[in-house]
């Protein structure tokens, strides 16, 4: 069937003027089999395995980009959670594993590598405890390594002992990277119901149920959706808006599937999932907040924002699910504060608060992402924010996550610059009440009942 | 799947100007390539193309097939529906837009002909001094040929004149057809 000129021009406009791109092609590499009692040998096994499996990643993705004429923003690698791989090694300090991952990332030419991770929703093994203890030093000693911790699921509840520890880790990590605005915390994501096929950093890791090697593809396109909603005008009903978003999501996901499958085929590995997430960037127009504002809620964060975001997330999922046989990861809409020009503006003028963000995360695809808080925020308060977010994920059977940055030396109202895709974030105030006793109780919050729903 | 991997260390171990011959199927990392460029070391994959450039399957740095040197018609008002690209060709969609002026079509078709492209269909509109055109062009299959073609056409673009973009037909098929 011939392709119509109008269709060609629509695609060209999306790519050229509305910043549509393939956001990430992420190669998942299993590190099972790399364990060794000697930490030096184990770390070298890790480095070698990543380099061997990912050696052609950048070359192949560059070639696909050039063959198809579609921009691919990032090439990345994720690995099996290091807490599992490192547990056999006789060492308390897992920094050598992070350094091995960092060296492999430099060798491959990828900007981030994910998987300095632990899955501790039910309890912590020796390897998990060592990873937690090593985390601030390991992440601050490396440039490209990202970490994620799964501390809760709907099926088993919330590991509050781990959550309390996470608060301490965030404080320590911020202090260790104080000269760069505490940017170390931007490389740590704390999850409830973490998906393993997520190609987006910093929360990407290679799931323990995955095969040896897999390609996952992340597609974005808030700019395209924003423009489509703008063209509909203020008179269109919400049915029309939802339908329009769904159609756009379908088209974008199809492109992600094409590129992802091509990358998998050229690399000779399995194709995993397409993750269609409206992931904003600081580029003007590439903003999820702008979509919500065009839907008519006034400033993002105002009343109606949660409802608008719910519809947007759902329409994106519906369009994406139709377009690919394997949609996964985080698929939906991201609302990172520092990476979205509209969110930054709303946070600066006080329309959006940490409480409203928390409410929005009950319907967005991830959670409280890239939120800068005052440097003197106590560890217990950070842990309590994480606990709140996990509770939303656990009760609603969805992925939620926290990426909080207690910026050393800064107070509410200041602006911290991270640079690049991480953008800049206004420091948002947190509630002064002390949740110390609640957090320090520790233990595991039981899993919820899912009958008797109301 | 253990394959030989050439890393930065392997390149650093060699003298400047040396040649590193790797067996077929060897993987050369990005850092190794970068270091080789800096150190003037030439990396050669035996039985294949020097990396990078022809890395993907079917690409392979083979010499260009003889051009099907038919000069393309400037417009094709009564052209039949184009046949699908064959296995030995790859169909690209060339889009250009900008302020209209004489010789744009000549520049584009000239560059396409030089790179052995075979124009299957052209559609052009001019409105209030601005133009956009869309062309379906078949080029010989192969990653390096396609990349060379893209470079040749996209370098006709300039900010104050017109822009040219080249994309694979499959992008549009995937996006607009189920």
């Amino acid at each position: 069937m011939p392709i119509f000129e109008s269709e060609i021009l629509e695609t060209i406009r999306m790519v050229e003027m509305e910043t549509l791109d393939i956001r990430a092609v992420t190669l998942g590499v299993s590190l099972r089999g790399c364990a060794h009692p000697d930490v030096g040998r184990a770390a070298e096994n890790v480095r070698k395995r990543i380099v061997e499996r990912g050696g052609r990643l950048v070359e192949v993705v560059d070639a696909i980009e050039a063959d198809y004429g579609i921009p691919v923003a990032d090439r990345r690698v994720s690995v099996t959670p290091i807490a599992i791989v490192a547990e056999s090694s006789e060492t308390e300090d897992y920094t050598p594993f992070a350094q091995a991952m960092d060296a492999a990332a430099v060798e491959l030419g990828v900007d981030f590598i994910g998987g300095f991770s632990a899955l501790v929703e039910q309890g912590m093994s020796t390897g998990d405890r060592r990873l937690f203890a090593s985390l601030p030093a390991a992440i601050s000693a490396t440039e490209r390594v990202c970490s994620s911790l799964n501390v809760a699921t709907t099926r088993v509840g919330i590991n509050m002992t781990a959550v309390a520890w996470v608060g301490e880790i965030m404080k320590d990590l911020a202090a260790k990277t104080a000269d760069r605005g505490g940017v170390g915390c931007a490389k740590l994501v704390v999850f409830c119901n973490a998906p393993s096929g997520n190609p987006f950093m910093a929360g990407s890791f290679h799931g323990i149920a995955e095969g040896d090697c897999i390609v996952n593809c992340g597609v974005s396109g808030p700019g395209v959706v924003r423009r489509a909603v703008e063209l509909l005008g203020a008179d269109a009903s919400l049915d029309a808006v939802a339908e329009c978003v769904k159609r756009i999501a379908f088209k974008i996901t199809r492109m992600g599937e094409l590129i992802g499958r091509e990358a998998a085929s050229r690399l000779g590995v399995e194709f995993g999932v397409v993750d269609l997430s409206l992931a904003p960037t600081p580029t003007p127009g590439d903003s999820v907040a702008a979509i919500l504002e065009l839907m008519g809620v006034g400033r993002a964060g105002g009343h109606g924002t949660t409802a608008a975001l719910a519809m947007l997330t759902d329409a994106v999922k519906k369009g994406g699910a139709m377009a690919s046989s394997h949609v996964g990861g985080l698929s939906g809409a991201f609302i990172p504060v520092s990476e979205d020009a509209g969110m930054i503006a709303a946070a600066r003028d006080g329309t959006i608060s940490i409480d409203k963000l928390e409410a929005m995360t009950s319907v967005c695809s991830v959670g409280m992402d890239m939120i800068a808080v005052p440097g003197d925020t106590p560890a217990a308060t950070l842990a309590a924010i994480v606990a709140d977010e996990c509770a939303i994920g656990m009760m609603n059977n969805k992925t939620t996550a926290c990426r909080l940055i207690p910026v050393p030396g800064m107070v509410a109202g200041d602006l911290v610059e991270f640079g690049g895709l991480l953008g800049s974030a206004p420091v948002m105030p947190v509630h002064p009440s002390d949740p110390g006793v609640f957090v320090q109780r520790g233990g595991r919050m039981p899993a919820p009942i899912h009958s008797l729903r109301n | 799947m253990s394959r030989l991997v050439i890393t930065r260390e392997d390149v650093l171990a060699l003298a400047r100007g040396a040649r590193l011959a790797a067996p077929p199927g060897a993987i050369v990392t990005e850092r190794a390539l970068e270091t080789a460029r800096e150190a003037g070391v030439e990396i050669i994959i035996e039985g294949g193309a020097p990396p990078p450039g022809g890395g993907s399957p079917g690409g392979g740095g083979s010499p260009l097939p003889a051009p099907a040197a038919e000069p393309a018609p400037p417009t094709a008002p009564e052209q039949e529906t184009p046949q699908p690209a064959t296995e030995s060709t790859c169909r690209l969609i060339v889009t250009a837009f900008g302020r209209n002026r004489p010789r744009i079509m000549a520049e584009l078709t000239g560059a396409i002909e030089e790179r052995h492209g075979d124009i299957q269909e052209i559609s052009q509109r001019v409105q209030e001094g601005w133009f956009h055109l869309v062309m379906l062009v078949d080029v010989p299959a192969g990653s390096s040929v396609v990349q060379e073609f893209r470079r040749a056409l996209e370098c006709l673009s300039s900010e104050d004149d017109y822009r040219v973009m080249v994309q694979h037909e499959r992008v549009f098929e995937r996006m607009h057809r189920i």
Side-chain angles (χ1 to χ4, degrees):
Chain A
M1 188 189 288
I3 299 165
F4 299 117
E5 188 184 329
S6 58
E7 293 169 333
I8 292 175
L9 294 176
E10 182 189 7
T11 304
I12 297 291
R13 195 187 63 232
M14 287 180 185
V15 174
E16 288 296 312
M17 298 162 77
E18 295 159 5
T19 58
L20 171 64
D21 56 18
I22 303 294
R23 189 52 58 82
V25 173
T26 303
L27 183 76
V29 177
S30 169
L31 297 183
R32 288 204 268 180
C34 291
H36 196 280
D38 179 74
V39 62
R41 291 277 294 278
E44 182 54 17
N45 288 347
V46 165
R47 192 194 69 81
K48 269 190 177 158
R49 174 76 61 91
I50 299 168
V51 170
E52 185 185 304
R53 296 271 158 89
R56 292 178 55 230
L57 175 68
V58 172
E59 172 202 328
V60 162
V61 176
D62 286 353
I64 292 173
E65 194 178 31
D67 286 351
Y68 284 86
I70 293 296
V72 182
D74 300 311
R75 296 103 175 98
R76 284 163 177 179
V77 173
S78 64
V79 297
T80 309
I82 288 293
I84 297 167
V85 183
E87 188 153 330
S88 308
S89 300
E90 288 152 5
T91 177
E92 289 296 321
D93 180 17
Y94 285 179
T95 306
F97 289 95
Q99 287 165 331
M101 289 165 69
D102 210 32
V106 170
E107 187 71 55
L108 300 184
V110 299
D111 61 348
F112 284 116
I113 180 165
F116 195 80
S117 305
L119 312 174
V120 297
E121 62 270 21
Q122 195 148 3
M124 299 178 86
S125 69
T126 307
D128 298 324
R129 269 192 290 275
R130 288 174 180 165
L131 184 123
F132 267 58
S134 314
L135 207 155
I139 296 301
S140 56
T142 51
E143 283 294 319
R144 307 181 186 212
V145 178
C146 294
S147 177
S148 54
L149 306 169
N150 194 59
V151 297
T153 65
T154 299
R155 290 212 170 264
V156 304
I158 306 174
N159 182 345
M160 284 299 293
T161 307
V163 169
W165 198 345
V166 162
E168 307 282 348
I169 289 174
M170 284 177 175
K171 289 291 283 182
D172 199 1
L173 189 48
K176 282 191 159 65
T177 50
D179 55 330
R180 287 168 287 155
V183 76
C185 290
K187 293 188 269 181
L188 170 64
V189 184
V190 187
F191 275 112
C192 169
N193 293 325
S196 67
N198 156 32
F200 290 100
M201 293 295 168
S204 181
F205 64 90
H206 186 72
I208 49 172
E210 308 263 18
D212 279 336
C213 212
I214 200 161
V215 166
N216 294 312
C217 185
V219 206
S220 189
V224 181
V225 176
R226 188 193 64 81
R227 176 79 181 134
V229 174
E230 190 174 42
L231 286 176
L232 279 180
D235 298 332
S237 72
L238 287 176
D239 307 70
V241 175
E243 186 61 25
C244 163
V245 173
K246 218 163 65 177
R247 282 170 186 271
I248 297 282
F250 177 86
K251 291 177 181 176
I252 299 173
T253 309
R254 293 281 288 180
M255 194 163 83
E257 166 124 338
L258 171 69
I259 301 296
R261 285 198 183 278
E262 186 69 24
S265 146
R266 291 192 190 188
L267 285 164
V269 303
E270 292 283 312
F271 175 64
V273 298
V274 184
D275 182 337
L276 170 63
S277 288
L278 299 184
T281 66
T283 310
D286 211 18
S287 158
V288 169
I291 301 172
L292 301 173
E293 289 172 5
L294 276 166
M295 283 165 81
V297 299
R299 184 68 113 180
H303 296 297
T305 302
T306 310
L309 182 61
M311 198 187 82
L312 177 66
T313 307
D314 184 63
V316 166
K317 285 183 200 294
K318 283 174 177 160
M322 278 292 290
S324 168
S325 39
H326 297 289
V327 170
L330 301 167
S331 293
F334 290 176
I335 48 169
V337 176
S338 78
E339 298 167 8
D340 185 320
M343 296 289 275
I344 294 171
R348 290 196 85 169
D349 70 16
T351 320
I352 208 160
S353 64
I354 204 158
D355 296 329
K356 185 64 182 176
L357 280 166
E358 186 185 305
M360 288 164 72
T361 63
S362 62
V363 298
C364 81
S365 67
V366 197
M368 301 185 66
D369 197 13
M370 289 302 287
I371 296 176
V373 295
D376 62 359
T377 307
T381 303
L382 294 170
I385 297 172
V386 171
D388 283 343
E389 195 55 26
C390 286
I392 290 173
M394 175 178 78
M395 298 302 289
N396 294 300
N397 210 354
K398 77 183 283 294
T399 299
T400 49
C402 273
R403 203 157 39 140
L404 305 173
I405 304 133
V407 187
M410 287 210 178
V411 296
D414 289 348
L415 187 79
V416 56
E417 281 284 347
F418 297 117
L421 278 179
L422 294 175
S424 60
V427 176
M428 301 175 91
V430 295
H431 293 287
S433 71
D434 178 16
V437 173
F438 177 71
V439 168
Q440 288 313 316
R441 285 178 191 274
R444 182 152 59 91
M445 200 179 284
I449 187 164
H450 271 292
S451 58
L452 310 175
R453 294 197 75 159
N454 43 39
Chain B
M1 60 179 266
S2 188
R3 299 168 70 177
L4 179 68
V5 182
I6 295 167
T7 62
R8 180 170 178 265
E9 278 69 35
D10 300 319
V11 178
L12 287 175
L14 298 170
R16 191 170 183 82
R19 284 164 74 110
L20 174 61
I27 295 167
V28 184
T29 68
E30 280 300 297
R31 199 74 202 282
L33 284 173
E34 208 175 283
T35 313
R37 274 193 295 274
E38 285 162 13
V41 171
E42 193 183 352
I43 301 176
I44 295 171
I45 305 278
E46 288 166 0
S56 58
S62 57
L64 288 176
E70 266 179 30
T75 54
E78 288 163 16
Q79 207 170 8
E80 290 171 17
T81 307
Q83 297 302 305
T86 63
E87 264 184 29
S88 60
T89 59
C90 163
R91 181 156 299 163
L92 302 175
I93 296 195
V94 177
T95 322
F97 62 87
R99 196 171 275 287
N100 196 29
R101 63 166 173 77
R103 291 202 54 75
I104 291 176
M105 186 63 92
E107 287 167 18
L108 288 168
T109 50
I112 290 169
E113 201 244 325
E114 234 170 71
R115 296 284 156 193
H116 320 297
D118 181 5
I119 299 173
Q120 299 294 313
E121 193 170 317
I122 298 181
S123 146
Q124 183 189 326
R125 305 256 162 105
V126 181
Q127 206 172 14
E128 294 170 11
W130 293 83
F131 82 98
H132 74 250
L133 74 83
V134 177
M135 281 189 264
L136 269 58
V137 183
D138 285 356
V139 297
S143 208
S144 55
V145 182
V146 173
Q147 289 172 29
E148 199 42 47
F149 183 85
R150 174 191 314 289
R151 265 193 294 274
L153 262 87
E154 288 185 345
C155 76
L156 294 173
S157 297
S158 81
E159 221 159 79
D160 47 4
D161 199 4
Y162 63 93
R163 285 214 55 186
V164 189
M165 287 141 294
V166 180
Q167 263 112 0
H168 200 291
E169 185 191 36
R170 245 179 276 163
V171 170
F172 304 92
E173 273 174 6
R174 274 292 174 143
M175 203 179 235
H176 299 285
R177 296 286 176 274
I178 297 178

